[in-house]
Amino acid sequence: MTYENGKEPRMASLTAKVIHGKTYYYARECQRVDGKPKIVRTVYLGSADELIAAATKRKQGQAPTPQSVDIAAFADVVALFDLAQQIGLVELLDRHIPKRDQGLSVGQYLLLAALNRAVHPTSKRRLADWYRDTALVRLIPATADQLSSQAFWNHLDFVEPQHIEAAERELSQRLIEMFQLSLRTLTYDGTNFFTFIDTRADATLPQRGHNKQKRNDLRQVSLGMVVSTDFHVPLFHKVYAGNVPDCTIFETVTEELRVRYRELARDCEHITLVFDKGNNSEEAFQTLDATGFHFVGSLVPSHHADLLDVPASRYQPLSGERLKDVRAYRTKKKVYGCERTIVVTHNDNLLHGQLQGLTTALEKARGKLRDLQAKLRRRREGRIRGGKAPTAASIRNQAHEALAGQHVKTVLRVEVAEGEVPTLSFETDQAALSRLIDKQLGKTILFTDNDDWTNEEIVLGYRSQHHIEDAFRQMKHPHYLGWQPMFHWTDSKIRVHAFTCVLALTLSSLLQRTLHQRGMDLSLPRMFDLLSGIRETLVIYPKKQGQRHPSTARALSTLSPEQEQLMRVLDLRRYL
């Protein structure tokens, strides 16, 4: 007689066993081994009542009642973790950054911090709490002690600027090769982030300066970045003191980019760096000319009145749907020591936007000036008697502050007359407003050393500046990729914090790029909204008699069609 796999079949039987006066049932499977019958498997089934209840539930289609359910973040952290695995990020970071001989590796700490920055920014003290509610507990096992703020900084306080620079250089080159990032145009810019660091704190990076979020009362830290125009992937970053002007730091950045150019040029011989007028200086361009980078930049219009005076009849329309509202005038001019190609553009959409902004700024300034006039009138009438008496100088200072908006001083004429109580008057200079609209508004002055580029290429090249602007905007998002909160009081910790934020943006931008290449075009906020809604559930059933551990079942939350597509496109179910 022949049997499957050459073995005799198993015979099952039901066996009752009395324990402490109660009868329990077992299923036993018997099989002949070497010609002799032998019990090869015993399965506990339960008491008669339990068997009847189980059979009844099966007949009625009832599932066993769960004891509890654990819910954890899944798709957002797993998608970014999967990307980091493909890159070999942890191993790369560990190779360049020293670590203590205990706990997680530095690469694992930085990856966890970067994932936290990307999907749910918290302080390092709350890192362990966030971690426990994610699928990362299975992917990067760690104890609460290992994820304490103290443990994190015990490892990361070893990190020096040269370690970060070396890791970033290798990472940039790896991303360029793995993802075939386009290097034809790169964009550079700087921004700043306000902090709540006390004035007496021993740190040189946080300084008071012109804050782009209008928090001039606080110390700030500045960040400069070079990103690809191919989904704003960061390739270089620099943290610098908050009181250093952008144009000053750009000179230093170009020195560092001189070294980077030789590495980048292996993948693209003609690389154009795009930046705005805030980075201009003669010293920076002297350095930039020696780097090998080409450039497209812009000039301050008011510094080049001769270009603004060119009549509209000399402007030519540009081709292409994206430039249908733009006209351009092209010439040559010596700028920052060299003759450059100049393209002055007039954009109707820009003109309308600037007029709306100017109208709002003028109304705001007029309101402040009227309030000031009313205060002076009440003092003259004796309705205000206390306080420090106003002087013509103090009123001029207040009027000057009221005219702080762009172009407002050009359009509003203010006069302050001496007297026991000074008088204030103002009017709109219609002639100046007409000149401003005719000569300057709607215009942008671009310059480049790409003399062979067409007007369209130069204009579109400069417009790629929006990639770095978008990158900084994402880093100031309140829910995803946020630089804040930052509770660090030393320069070394601030540099590590900045690096984790840049790593978070890197992984997020690459994920957005991957989705685009697979047919899903999503903004970063929309991408994270969808992914964060995909959570995993662990259903825990009561432990039965004889079981060491309760039964569990893992499943996903209910998904929308778009979330189902994300799971399929990124193949994330394999992590369940």
Side-chain angles (χ1 to χ4, degrees):
M1 186 174 180
T2 303
Y3 301 100
E4 186 179 358
N5 299 324
K7 295 182 179 180
E8 292 190 11
R10 294 182 179 184
M11 302 295 291
S13 63
L14 187 65
T15 303
K17 189 174 183 180
V18 179
I19 302 175
H20 300 301
K22 293 184 179 181
T23 303
Y24 300 96
Y25 293 90
Y26 296 80
R28 292 179 173 175
E29 292 184 346
C30 184
Q31 186 177 29
R32 284 188 174 274
V33 178
D34 296 329
K36 298 180 180 180
K38 183 177 181 180
I39 296 173
V40 293
R41 187 183 180 209
T42 301
V43 179
Y44 171 73
L45 300 178
S47 66
D49 290 339
E50 288 172 334
L51 287 173
I52 292 169
T56 303
K57 284 184 178 180
R58 282 196 298 272
K59 288 181 180 179
Q60 296 175 348
Q62 295 178 1
T65 303
Q67 174 179 300
S68 60
V69 176
D70 282 345
I71 302 175
F74 178 75
D76 48 5
V77 293
V78 167
L80 296 174
F81 172 84
D82 184 53
L83 199 53
Q85 291 289 95
Q86 295 175 42
I87 297 168
L89 181 61
V90 169
E91 295 78 11
L92 185 153
L93 295 172
D94 287 339
R95 187 159 52 253
H96 291 283
I97 302 175
K99 74 172 293 288
R100 296 175 52 159
D101 293 329
Q102 60 185 32
L104 301 177
S105 74
V106 172
Q108 289 175 314
Y109 275 119
L110 285 172
L111 175 58
L112 283 173
L115 297 180
N116 173 256
R117 283 285 124 191
V119 303
H120 189 73
T122 64
S123 65
K124 299 300 181 292
R125 285 186 178 182
R126 298 186 61 189
L127 185 65
D129 294 335
W130 164 79
Y131 164 86
R132 279 196 297 270
D133 291 331
T134 73
L136 294 172
V137 294
R138 304 198 315 274
L139 306 176
I140 309 177
T143 65
D145 288 342
Q146 289 174 330
L147 294 182
S148 68
S149 176
Q150 185 63 55
F152 182 91
W153 289 115
N154 282 345
H155 287 76
L156 275 297
D157 274 340
F158 285 97
V159 180
E160 298 290 341
Q162 64 269 21
H163 299 142
I164 294 175
E165 180 183 347
E168 185 176 65
R169 288 175 65 176
E170 183 181 345
L171 177 60
S172 298
Q173 200 61 46
R174 182 173 296 185
L175 296 182
I176 292 166
E177 294 169 358
M178 282 185 64
F179 295 91
Q180 296 296 297
L181 295 177
S182 172
L183 300 180
R184 187 170 185 267
T185 54
L186 305 177
T187 63
Y188 170 83
D189 204 358
T191 193
N192 46 51
F193 302 89
F194 64 82
T195 73
F196 295 100
I197 296 177
D198 189 270
T199 303
R200 295 165 294 180
D202 185 21
T204 59
L205 288 173
Q207 299 291 338
R208 284 185 173 81
H210 177 66
N211 184 258
K212 297 181 180 180
Q213 293 171 282
K214 311 300 182 185
R215 293 304 305 265
N216 297 326
D217 57 315
L218 298 173
R219 298 171 78 182
Q220 65 183 20
V221 175
S222 295
L223 174 70
M225 279 200 309
V226 172
V227 305
S228 70
T229 54
D230 187 357
F231 282 86
H232 49 60
V233 178
L235 300 175
F236 166 84
H237 84 280
K238 185 176 183 66
V239 185
Y240 57 98
N243 61 348
V244 178
D246 290 344
C247 60
T248 302
I249 202 67
F250 187 56
E251 181 183 350
T252 305
V253 168
T254 51
E255 286 281 4
E256 296 181 38
L257 288 176
R258 186 206 303 259
V259 178
R260 293 289 184 95
Y261 178 80
R262 290 196 294 270
E263 300 166 358
L264 297 173
R266 291 183 300 186
D267 298 277
C268 182
E269 293 182 359
H270 188 108
I271 305 176
T272 296
L273 195 62
V274 182
F275 48 87
D276 71 9
K277 53 186 173 290
N279 298 295
N280 293 349
S281 72
E282 189 149 351
E283 295 77 13
F285 277 98
Q286 288 174 356
T287 308
L288 185 64
D289 287 337
T291 62
F293 282 101
H294 296 275
F295 74 89
V296 175
S298 64
L299 299 169
V300 179
S302 58
H303 295 174
H304 299 273
D306 57 321
L307 296 174
L308 297 178
D309 287 338
V310 174
S313 60
R314 300 186 64 182
Y315 284 69
Q316 301 295 321
L318 298 182
S319 61
E321 182 64 23
R322 295 173 61 189
L323 302 174
K324 64 181 181 180
D325 297 315
V326 182
R327 291 173 292 124
Y329 164 73
R330 184 173 184 136
T331 187
K332 292 268 191 177
K333 184 177 180 180
K334 191 172 184 179
V335 180
Y336 296 115
C338 293
E339 187 175 68
R340 311 292 191 184
T341 293
I342 306 289
V343 175
V344 186
T345 66
H346 185 281
N347 187 331
D348 290 336
N349 292 328
L350 176 61
L351 173 61
H352 295 151
Q354 288 178 329
L355 283 175
Q356 288 181 347
L358 178 58
T359 300
T360 301
L362 288 172
E363 284 303 313
K364 186 176 179 180
R366 291 187 186 109
K368 290 181 178 180
L369 293 173
R370 290 190 194 101
D371 290 343
L372 191 52
Q373 283 179 325
K375 288 180 182 179
L376 293 173
R377 185 170 59 253
R378 288 198 298 272
R379 184 170 285 276
R380 279 194 298 271
E381 294 170 354
R383 289 186 287 166
I384 298 179
R385 297 182 180 180
K388 189 175 181 180
T391 64
S394 68
I395 297 302
R396 288 190 187 97
N397 287 337
Q398 293 180 62
H400 181 78
E401 292 176 1
L403 303 178
Q406 188 178 25
H407 304 306
V408 173
K409 291 185 181 70
T410 304
V411 176
L412 283 184
R413 301 298 183 195
V414 177
E415 290 188 5
V416 178
E418 300 279 356
E420 185 177 348
V421 176
T423 58
L424 169 70
S425 61
F426 64 91
E427 64 177 358
T428 301
D429 188 335
Q430 294 295 340
L433 178 59
S434 296
R435 283 196 303 273
L436 184 65
I437 295 173
D438 182 54
K439 300 287 187 182
Q440 187 168 341
L441 295 187
K443 292 181 180 178
T444 306
I445 303 177
L446 307 180
F447 72 124
T448 180
D449 64 344
N450 286 322
D451 300 326
D452 57 337
W453 280 21
T454 65
N455 290 344
E456 287 81 3
E457 288 176 315
I458 293 170
V459 174
L460 291 175
Y462 185 74
R463 284 191 178 184
S464 65
Q465 181 76 7
H466 77 85
H467 289 281
I468 185 70
E469 295 165 355
D470 186 55
F472 285 140
R473 187 161 52 250
Q474 300 303 337
M475 294 180 80
K476 295 178 180 179
H477 195 284
H479 303 300
Y480 306 119
L481 289 168
W483 174 285
Q484 305 291 6
M486 185 186 78
F487 303 104
H488 305 308
W489 313 97
T490 65
D491 289 345
S492 62
K493 285 182 171 62
I494 290 171
R495 288 192 180 94
V496 170
H497 177 83
F499 187 39
T500 60
C501 291
V502 172
L503 287 176
L505 178 62
T506 301
L507 292 173
S508 303
S509 299
L510 288 171
L511 182 59
Q512 184 189 24
R513 184 180 186 271
T514 298
L515 289 172
H516 167 77
Q517 292 177 333
R518 297 177 185 177
M520 294 192 72
D521 280 312
L522 301 170
S523 67
L524 281 176
R526 178 60 179 162
M527 179 184 80
F528 280 125
D529 278 342
L530 289 170
L531 289 172
S532 65
I534 305 175
R535 304 175 71 81
E536 71 172 10
T537 61
L538 182 66
V539 183
I540 304 170
Y541 296 97
K543 186 169 64 173
K544 295 180 180 179
Q545 186 173 350
Q547 285 184 319
R548 289 189 176 184
H549 304 288
S551 301
T552 62
R554 197 179 302 278
L556 290 178
S557 56
T558 303
L559 306 183
S560 69
E562 206 169 6
Q563 289 172 325
E564 287 281 8
Q565 186 181 3
L566 275 172
M567 290 292 296
R568 184 175 64 257
V569 164
L570 297 175
D571 190 22
L572 296 184
R573 289 188 185 275
R574 68 188 190 279
Y575 281 98
L576 285 170

